[in-house]
Amino acid sequence: MATNFKLVYVSFLRRFLPLKYGICRGFVVDRHGNTAGDDIITYGQELYPTLRFFDSDNQFAQKEQIPVEVVYAYIEAKIDA
């Protein structure tokens, strides 16, 4: 259920963010290959374009690895039960 919530949240944000900002679910990666997080990331899409199929209903289902140098924000999304 939490994954569905994150997909809806990312889709919602995508409608309002300018296109220069990418948004995805995934991990932040540093230059040594260390990863952190597993939630929603906004990043500089012009600096780091990713490959995604926009005609798919689950365009944000796949988790991506985004370099820390292009990350603008990391959003931890949780549902309280």
Side-chain angles (χ1 to χ4, degrees):
M1 179 148 135
T3 301
N4 291 337
F5 168 74
K6 290 177 186 178
L7 291 175
V8 169
Y9 194 73
V10 171
S11 296
F12 174 79
L13 287 175
R14 174 70 282 159
R15 292 189 325 190
F16 294 100
L17 285 174
L19 291 178
K20 74 177 194 172
Y21 299 107
I23 187 161
C24 68
R25 294 175 52 240
F27 303 90
V28 177
V29 182
D30 70 10
R31 65 182 174 174
H32 302 292
N34 301 318
T35 60
D38 181 12
D39 267 311
I40 300 168
I41 302 167
T42 59
Y43 61 94
Q45 179 137 334
E46 294 172 339
L47 299 171
Y48 189 78
T50 59
L51 198 57
R52 190 176 302 128
F53 300 105
F54 287 107
D55 59 344
S56 170
D57 289 338
N58 289 328
Q59 63 177 319
F60 298 111
Q62 181 178 355
K63 294 181 182 179
E64 301 185 45
Q65 295 186 354
I66 306 296
V68 68
E69 293 84 8
V70 298
V71 172
Y72 287 114
Y74 173 81
I75 303 167
E76 188 171 335
K78 296 192 180 219
I79 299 176
D80 290 332

